[in-house]
Amino acid sequence: MTPQEISFTNTFNINRPTLALFSKCSSKDELHIVRDAFFLGMASKICPQEYDSLRESMITDPTSFTSIINSMNTPKGLEAMVTAARASDGWEGLLGALHAVATEVNSDLDAIWMTLEEGRFEWLCAINASHPLKVILKDALQQDEKTTDKDRMEAKMIYVYTLSLSLPSIEETSKACWRKVVKMEDKTNPLKNYNGDLWDCRKEEFCFLDLGVQEAAERGGSSFEDAWEA
């Protein structure tokens, strides 16, 4: 590796904690705050001239400075800093300089970010769409004093299937195969004429759905169990 590539890689690794905040985001606006905070962190080391110019602009602008100071050590701190940076005249220049260096070392920062954003957004869409049924399932488990481990397993299997409906990364044929196995009458309502004897997590057809959902959760910075417990 060249000295420039080593420097870029080291800076990227230093800023990984910021990048990892994508897993806490619940909207595209929040995702873009994290993305731009990551770009700022990278630029502070990779493009010091452009970063110092932008930083000076933020400090000398009364509105930006007040917003940053008032938000320090609060949940809005990162958002205030990024908003001020975006409003600065030097923002576009800083992004251009950072991406130019990235290109020189054969790194596509936008592609790296979009992999995270798309994974997170896909997972958010799935858990939001599946939430109403999850509430029904968990309420039923809680209200039944005779709930067994088998009941809890089947409830999670139903949730896996419901999540899969909103995950384009899982092939439609896999979902259709599972519906055929459990003789599902309504693909959007797995509880209609539900037959628990047919829902066996050991069946190969279910394994495809289970693995697909777990992979989607990982791409979204989460896990199936986290989604179930939320």
Side-chain angles (χ1 to χ4, degrees), residues 122-134 137 155-170 172 175 178 187-188 190 199 206 209-210 212-217 219 222-229:
E122 179 187 63
W123 184 241
L124 287 175
C125 289
I127 60 177
N128 288 337
S130 306
H131 184 71
L133 183 57
K134 185 184 78 169
L137 293 169
K156 288 185 176 182
M157 290 178 68
I158 294 170
Y159 186 46
V160 165
Y161 168 76
T162 308
L163 285 167
S164 76
L165 293 178
S166 299
L167 294 170
S169 55
I170 299 178
E172 291 299 322
K175 304 169 193 178
W178 182 244
K187 73 174 185 178
T188 62
W199 288 69
F206 180 75
L209 296 186
D210 189 25
V213 166
Q214 291 189 47
E215 290 176 344
R219 289 194 300 273
S222 185
S223 70
F224 171 80
E225 289 297 331
D226 285 345
W228 174 254
E229 295 298 333

Side-chain angles (χ1 to χ4, degrees), residues 7 31 42 45 53 64 76 78 80 97 117 120 137 146 149 152 167 170 176 183 199 223 226:
S7 175
L31 282 164
M42 290 289 294
K45 300 295 183 182
S53 176
S64 294
K76 290 290 186 179
L78 191 65
E117 179 175 319
R120 182 62 180 170
L137 293 169
K146 297 181 179 180
D149 289 342
R152 284 185 282 272
L167 294 170
I170 299 178
K183 299 181 180 179
W199 288 69
S223 70
D226 285 345

Side-chain angles (χ1 to χ4, degrees), residues 35-48:
R35 175 199 64 193
D36 291 347
F38 171 70
F39 287 162
L40 272 174
M42 290 289 294
S44 68
K45 300 295 183 182
I46 299 297
C47 312

Side-chain angles (χ1 to χ4, degrees), residues 100-140:
V101 175
T103 299
E104 291 177 6
V105 298
N106 297 313
S107 178
D108 190 337
L109 291 178
D110 289 334
I112 292 171
W113 171 257
M114 284 308 299
T115 298
L116 299 178
E117 179 175 319
E118 289 172 357
R120 182 62 180 170
F121 198 65
E122 179 187 63
W123 184 241
L124 287 175
C125 289
I127 60 177
N128 288 337
S130 306
H131 184 71
L133 183 57
K134 185 184 78 169
V135 171
I136 292 173
L137 293 169
K138 296 186 77 171
D139 282 349

Side-chain angles (χ1 to χ4, degrees), residues 18 33-34 36-38 40-41 51 54 58 64 67-69 71-72 76-88 91:
T18 300
I33 290 292
V34 171
D36 291 347
F38 171 70
L40 272 174
Y51 178 81
L54 180 140
M58 292 164 59
S64 294
S67 176
I68 293 172
I69 292 299
S71 302
M72 286 182 66
K76 290 290 186 179
L78 191 65
E79 180 180 351
M81 181 183 67
V82 169
T83 299
R86 289 171 176 169
S88 170
W91 176 243

